[in-house]
Amino acid sequence: MPVSKKEISPCPIDAMLSVIDGRWKGTILWRLSERPLRTSELRRSIPGITERMLIRHLQELVRDGILVRHQEQTVPPCVRYSISKYGLTLVPVLEVICAWGRNHLKRTSGHGREWSQAAQPHRNVL
Amino acid sequence: MPVSKKEISPCPIDAMLSVIDGRWKGTILWRLSERPLRTSELRRSIPGITERMLIRHLQELVRDGILVRHQEQTVPPCVRYSISKYGLTLVPVLEVICAWGRNHLKRTSGHGREWSQAAQPHRNVL
DNA sequence: CAGAATCCCCAATGATACTG
DNA sequence: CAGTATCATTGGGGATTCTG
């Protein structure tokens, strides 16, 4: 529920999603969770991404404190991105999301209808 | 990372996010996690949502197996939506997302990095 | 009351060329 | 190599109207 990425939403779920919302942010974080990478390395490791969107998403993630940008003042320039300490707190969340998504993919591809049953209400169950 | 909602993405994270991606899906799920509601009840409980988007999101959630649509063949029609058993598996994930988001809101709105660990469930959606 | 059908706007993304 | 600048496309979503 992406909602507005620019404006600050009071809803925590919106706030969280806005951080990882973007066509390639998931993949970027996935790559960088393995090890820091240079911009060009990232681009090559993500087939289909454009220079424009890579830079843009990287900047947003840096702005949100998820990534850190390391620049070496050389010619030609060498920039490396890595996950920040704060960004590391995001990883477990992504894992939970990923786990559910993996399960969801199974269910959809194997189209069972078992899940179409109503459940009893809840909230205490949470 | 919303990516494509229509196409099935092989990425689990994308798959999961596509399910809750939509301007009002979070709020809808939140409402229905308390108890089943009629369409009109939902609409009234979510200020600002339009008929069109409510129906649209409900249909998508039903398609994804998250919600169940109960229709009573009466005049006028009475339709009730509730969370499915499968949909309930989504709730813990939302809780995790919400917890991180709450932290993130503190961190951003507040000063630098003093995010405490108070984690009370639930958002305060309007 | 539930929801389908239309029209329209805009933010996100893509494509492409350019700069330091 | 890293990043910018422009233009074109598109799909989400708001507003409105219509129907069973």
Side-chain angles (χ1 to χ4, degrees):
Chain A
M1 150 213 275
V3 185
S4 53
K5 286 115 192 262
K6 304 305 177 184
E7 301 172 15
I8 304 172
S9 171
C11 171
I13 291 186
D14 290 354
M16 190 282 179
L17 291 180
S18 71
V19 172
I20 56 171
D21 201 7
R23 174 69 182 79
W24 307 95
K25 281 187 186 174
T27 307
I28 291 173
L29 288 174
W30 185 255
R31 291 282 184 279
L32 291 180
S33 68
E34 298 175 326
R35 68 178 191 282
L37 290 173
R38 295 188 58 181
T39 308
S40 55
E41 291 175 323
L42 261 177
R43 175 162 33 77
R44 280 191 294 270
S45 72
I46 305 177
I49 196 173
T50 60
E51 188 73 38
R52 183 178 184 280
M53 293 315 297
L54 175 61
I55 298 296
R56 184 175 185 137
H57 284 151
L58 286 173
Q59 289 172 339
E60 288 182 14
L61 288 168
V62 168
R63 241 195 321 274
D64 289 334
I66 308 301
L67 299 185
V68 178
R69 181 180 184 273
H70 312 272
Q71 177 165 16
E72 302 170 20
Q73 290 296 351
T74 60
V75 177
C78 175
V79 177
R80 210 173 296 273
Y81 290 90
S82 65
I83 294 196
S84 68
K85 279 188 180 179
Y86 183 54
L88 282 182
T89 67
L90 195 58
V91 176
V93 181
L94 289 177
E95 287 176 350
V96 172
I97 293 176
C98 191
W100 193 93
R102 208 174 291 118
N103 188 35
H104 185 65
L105 285 176
K106 279 188 198 169
R107 281 178 178 271
T108 50
S109 64
H111 50 303
R113 187 174 287 185
E114 326 83 35
W115 37 264
S116 301
Q117 314 168 6
Q120 301 307 326
H122 0 312
R123 181 92 10 142
N124 340 18
V125 191
L126 314 187
Chain B
M1 93 150 350
V3 185
S4 56
K5 285 116 191 266
K6 303 305 177 183
E7 300 172 16
I8 303 172
S9 171
C11 172
I13 292 185
D14 290 354
M16 190 284 178
L17 291 180
S18 71
V19 172
I20 56 171
D21 200 7
R23 175 69 180 80
W24 306 95
K25 281 187 185 173
T27 307
I28 291 173
L29 287 174
W30 187 251
R31 290 282 185 277
L32 291 179
S33 69
E34 298 175 325
R35 67 177 191 284
L37 290 173
R38 295 188 57 182
T39 309
S40 55
E41 291 175 324
L42 263 176
R43 176 164 30 79
R44 280 191 294 272
S45 73
I46 304 178
I49 196 173
T50 61
E51 189 73 37
R52 182 181 185 276
M53 294 317 297
L54 176 61
I55 299 297
R56 186 176 184 144
H57 284 151
L58 286 173
Q59 290 172 340
E60 289 182 13
L61 289 169
V62 168
R63 233 189 337 268
D64 290 334
I66 308 300
L67 299 184
V68 177
R69 182 179 184 273
H70 311 272
Q71 178 164 18
E72 303 170 19
Q73 288 297 351
T74 59
V75 177
C78 174
V79 177
R80 211 173 297 271
Y81 290 89
S82 66
I83 294 197
S84 68
K85 281 187 179 178
Y86 182 50
L88 281 183
T89 68
L90 196 58
V91 176
V93 182
L94 290 176
E95 290 293 340
V96 172
I97 293 176
C98 189
W100 193 91
R102 204 174 295 114
N103 228 335
H104 187 64
L105 285 177
K106 280 187 195 167
R107 188 173 198 265
T108 52
S109 66
H111 352 286
R113 54 154 68 213
E114 40 109 11
W115 69 77
S116 57
Q117 18 35 32
Q120 304 192 3
H122 310 342
R123 7 176 213 166
N124 45 343
V125 183
L126 335 162

